[in-house]
Amino acid sequence: MSITAKLIEEILAYGLHHRMIEKLDLPQVRNQLLYLLQVDEPYSGSTEFSVPEYPVEILNRIIADAVSRGIIEDSMSQKDILDAQIMAQFMPRQSELNRTYESIKKEKGIEAATTYYYNLSKQSNYIRTDRIALNKYWRTETKYGDLEITINLSKPEKDPKDIAKAGKAVQSNYPKCLLCIENVGYTGHVNHPARSSHRVLPLTLDGEDWYYQYSPYVYYNEHAIIFKAAHEPMKISIDSFKRLTDFVEVMPHYFIGSNADLPIVGGSILSHDHFQGGNHRFPMVDSKVLKSYTHPEYSGVKISMVEWPMSVIRISGKEKESLVNLASNILDSWRAYTDETVGIFSHTEDEGKLIPHNTITPIARKNDDGDFELDLVLRNNRCDDEHPDGIYHPHKHLHHIKKENIGLIEVMGLAILPARIDGDLKILAEVLAGDRDISYVEENMANHLEWFKEILKQNVTITTQTEGLNLLKKAVGKRFEEVLECAGVYKLNDAGINGFDKFIKSTGCM
């Protein structure tokens, strides 16, 4: 027990060092940890410890000790629950967090306030810095600029023990979804992630109650999730544009955007209205202007067609109201727009019902001139016999790299690739370096074979696996470029640009 008691003192020292607690809090937090970890008496030896930046290593030792003593089962869900319960003892209540955040914002500004909250989310291990560090990241030069590629290795695979227990667990509808405010402080279970240390901050967007938090598995710097207080489904409307511009007015150092509100082109959670934001400059921001327009009713707004593989209308100006109204006009026009000459159908009929296909992925930011800027990305989720997964979705020959929906983050130029790609690239790099025979690829990796043969035709001299991996990374980046081109409703050829121009002018732009 003395080992556990000493570990408790070590995590207490961590909390003190990072000012998560004060000396006055020690007896209370110590006693809570003693009870949680089933220890009768505190450690009485030396309490001088080397304090790390994040608590992962200390927590891992505490969790291993708890497993060895039979306090918890050796399963991922049980470990995560105890981890979060421990760090919850160091977290402020919602009201305390908000007071501190608002005080910092008033004294030092909004950037200092968001930095405080982001750092706290990492120091509490809510943001899983150890798992995120496993992700692979690189940039690939393309004709649209440097695209960003990440292989998502941070989300652990389901533990077989958890899978077995999940099938027997009593189903619960509380919280309703992973975004609901009821997740704050929720212990979690085999079918729901641990959220004891989870805290969120309130926002007012367009006069409504919203909250914001950071993603536990950030894909970019300060990856924030902004969600509505009420559990209501996603819907892109004029209200969305009001909320987006309200947000960047309050947080001008952050972008904010929404997944589309239709299946195939939408996000993974359509049941709860939410946005994603953060402090990151995506490749799409630096895309060039192909054509410029004006609108007689919005003289102060710059309007442009952007050179990006997906179909982007960029509007910017100093007045929120003008941008919001023009964006709403474009959205309404697009929802009803059909142009059979380029294969655009706003609706199709299914068993007597009209099925809508057109929507928008909207993104807002303050641009380099300090103006409000909206990127309106045109989306269409129609399918046909040739492309049953979606006409404007990664086509079948690209599924070996990416077959999932193209959501907000990918739209802006950051690929999120599945974990399987990491192992596949390592094997293919071995073949390129001559350390494994190509017969292995032919027999076991048929999904990559045609693509890999095209890479071999480049006749690049590869002498090491590292060189092979670098060549493959470039090829993956080029594949992601193709993925985005598939998702663009208007292709960047003469017919596509003319069709895109035709739609923009149909909205009253000149």
Side-chain angles (χ1 to χ4, degrees):
M1 292 297 182
S2 61
I3 293 174
T4 311
K6 186 176 181 180
L7 287 169
I8 289 173
E9 295 305 314
E10 195 168 347
I11 197 71
L12 286 170
Y14 171 87
L16 276 173
H17 177 82
H18 289 286
R19 299 182 180 180
M20 300 178 76
I21 58 172
E22 299 179 14
K23 191 174 181 179
L24 193 63
D25 301 317
L26 280 174
Q28 175 189 342
V29 179
R30 180 183 288 114
N31 285 333
Q32 289 170 331
L33 293 175
L34 288 170
Y35 177 78
L36 186 62
L37 297 170
Q38 300 179 21
V39 179
D40 294 330
E41 296 181 357
Y43 179 70
S44 57
S46 171
T47 55
E48 289 189 10
F49 303 101
S50 175
V51 178
E53 184 179 9
Y54 301 118
V56 177
E57 192 271 334
I58 304 172
L59 288 169
N60 286 346
R61 285 187 280 129
I62 294 175
I63 300 302
D65 175 73
V67 170
S68 70
R69 293 193 293 120
I71 293 175
I72 60 170
E73 295 179 9
D74 187 11
S75 71
M76 183 64 73
S77 66
Q78 288 290 299
K79 291 175 181 178
D80 282 356
I81 286 171
L82 182 57
D83 177 313
Q85 286 177 321
I86 291 168
M87 293 314 298
Q89 310 310 318
F90 298 87
M91 292 297 286
R93 292 181 182 273
Q94 292 275 98
S95 56
E96 295 174 83
L97 173 63
N98 190 50
R99 278 195 296 271
T100 302
Y101 178 85
E102 290 295 329
S103 175
I104 294 171
K105 184 169 73 171
K106 183 177 180 180
E107 293 176 13
K108 299 180 180 179
I110 186 62
E111 288 193 52
T114 55
T115 297
Y116 157 75
Y117 179 38
Y118 187 59
N119 287 339
L120 179 65
S121 299
K122 290 188 289 185
Q123 289 163 353
S124 67
N125 208 37
Y126 178 74
I127 294 178
R128 303 302 303 238
T129 56
D130 58 326
R131 296 176 185 174
I132 294 162
L134 300 173
N135 291 345
K136 301 296 174 65
Y137 173 88
W138 68 92
R139 298 175 75 94
T140 298
E141 184 179 345
T142 73
K143 58 178 172 286
Y144 306 107
D146 288 353
L147 297 180
E148 298 178 283
I149 314 295
T150 184
I151 299 177
N152 179 18
L153 301 173
S154 59
K155 291 187 179 180
E157 294 183 8
K158 283 280 188 180
D159 189 311
K161 296 175 185 176
D162 289 337
I163 293 172
K165 287 182 71 176
K168 302 174 183 178
V170 176
Q171 298 301 308
S172 170
N173 291 320
Y174 179 86
K176 289 182 180 178
C177 77
L178 294 173
L179 294 179
C180 284
I181 186 64
E182 288 79 14
N183 282 280
V184 173
Y186 187 67
T187 301
H189 50 75
V190 69
N191 286 322
H192 197 100
R195 291 292 182 261
S196 293
S197 60
H198 180 40
R199 304 292 183 268
V200 302
L201 285 166
L203 286 170
T204 301
L205 301 178
D206 190 29
E208 298 175 324
D209 291 335
W210 286 65
Y211 295 96
Y212 97 93
Q213 65 178 70
Y214 291 106
S215 169
Y217 296 100
V218 295
Y219 290 128
Y220 50 84
N221 187 43
E222 298 177 45
H223 181 174
I225 300 171
I226 300 94
F227 63 97
K228 195 170 187 177
H231 180 81
E232 296 176 358
M234 295 270 294
K235 180 173 176 58
I236 305 299
S237 68
I238 187 171
D239 294 331
S240 306
F241 305 130
K242 290 176 181 178
R243 295 162 186 158
L244 294 174
T245 52
D246 275 2
F247 181 87
V248 295
E249 186 171 41
V250 174
M251 297 189 185
H253 60 305
Y254 274 17
F255 84 92
I256 183 172
S258 174
N259 274 303
D261 56 354
L262 292 178
I264 298 176
V265 296
S268 57
I269 301 178
L270 295 177
S271 61
H272 195 133
D273 207 356
H274 69 284
F275 305 118
Q276 295 183 75
N279 192 1
H280 184 71
R281 190 180 184 97
F282 285 87
M284 189 173 74
V285 175
D286 297 312
S287 52
K288 299 175 183 177
V289 171
L290 267 181
K291 291 190 175 186
S292 296
Y293 302 86
T294 59
H295 195 294
E297 295 178 27
Y298 305 99
S299 58
V301 178
K302 295 179 181 177
I303 307 164
S304 58
M305 177 195 296
V306 171
E307 188 177 0
W308 189 248
M310 300 193 70
S311 306
V312 183
I313 301 172
R314 179 167 293 165
I315 60 177
S316 62
K318 298 191 181 301
E319 295 183 3
K320 286 195 304 180
E321 187 176 355
S322 295
L323 253 65
V324 165
N325 289 334
L326 176 56
S328 179
N329 174 30
I330 292 171
L331 172 64
D332 291 344
S333 298
W334 178 243
R335 286 207 190 272
Y337 190 76
T338 292
D339 185 352
E340 296 184 16
T341 64
V342 286
I344 304 292
F345 294 87
S346 66
H347 295 77
T348 55
E349 189 173 321
D350 182 27
E351 297 181 354
K353 294 182 179 179
L354 278 179
I355 307 300
H357 295 300
N358 288 353
T359 187
I360 277 176
T361 298
I363 301 129
R365 67 183 75 87
K366 281 292 191 79
N367 65 20
D368 294 340
D369 295 325
D371 293 343
F372 292 98
E373 187 166 271
L374 286 172
D375 281 348
L376 308 174
V377 187
L378 307 184
R379 311 299 301 273
N380 179 288
N381 75 343
R382 194 165 63 86
C383 305
D384 61 13
D385 291 340
E386 184 181 1
H387 303 295
D389 297 316
I391 298 170
Y392 307 104
H393 179 84
H395 290 175
K396 192 171 182 179
H397 72 286
L398 302 171
H399 286 186
H400 70 109
I401 295 295
K402 178 75 175 178
K403 61 182 178 180
E404 298 80 10
N405 291 354
I406 302 306
L408 171 69
I409 296 172
E410 287 98 350
V411 164
M412 296 184 290
L414 170 57
I416 302 170
L417 303 182
R420 63 181 172 82
I421 299 297
D422 186 53
D424 290 354
L425 294 186
K426 289 175 182 176
I427 293 171
L428 295 174
E430 291 173 6
V431 177
L432 287 174
D435 298 329
R436 189 190 289 259
D437 193 80
I438 193 172
S439 61
Y440 182 89
V441 180
E442 294 169 341
E443 294 169 8
N444 301 285
M445 304 175 75
N447 61 326
H448 291 306
L449 186 58
E450 293 305 314
W451 173 67
F452 190 59
K453 285 180 177 179
E454 291 300 315
I455 294 172
L456 292 174
K457 288 179 183 178
Q458 297 177 24
N459 291 321
V460 178
T461 301
I462 300 294
T463 58
T464 67
Q465 292 179 26
T466 299
E467 291 176 350
L469 195 57
N470 288 336
L471 180 65
L472 289 164
K473 285 180 177 179
K474 291 180 182 177
V476 168
K478 293 292 186 180
R479 220 53 168 167
F480 179 54
E481 179 182 24
E482 290 183 65
V483 164
L484 292 182
E485 288 173 339
C486 284
V489 293
Y490 292 108
K491 311 308 177 187
L492 288 182
N493 52 34
D494 288 344
I497 292 171
N498 289 337
F500 195 3
D501 179 73
K502 181 180 174 183
F503 165 69
I504 292 175
K505 287 178 177 175
S506 76
T507 68
C509 295
M510 303 167 59

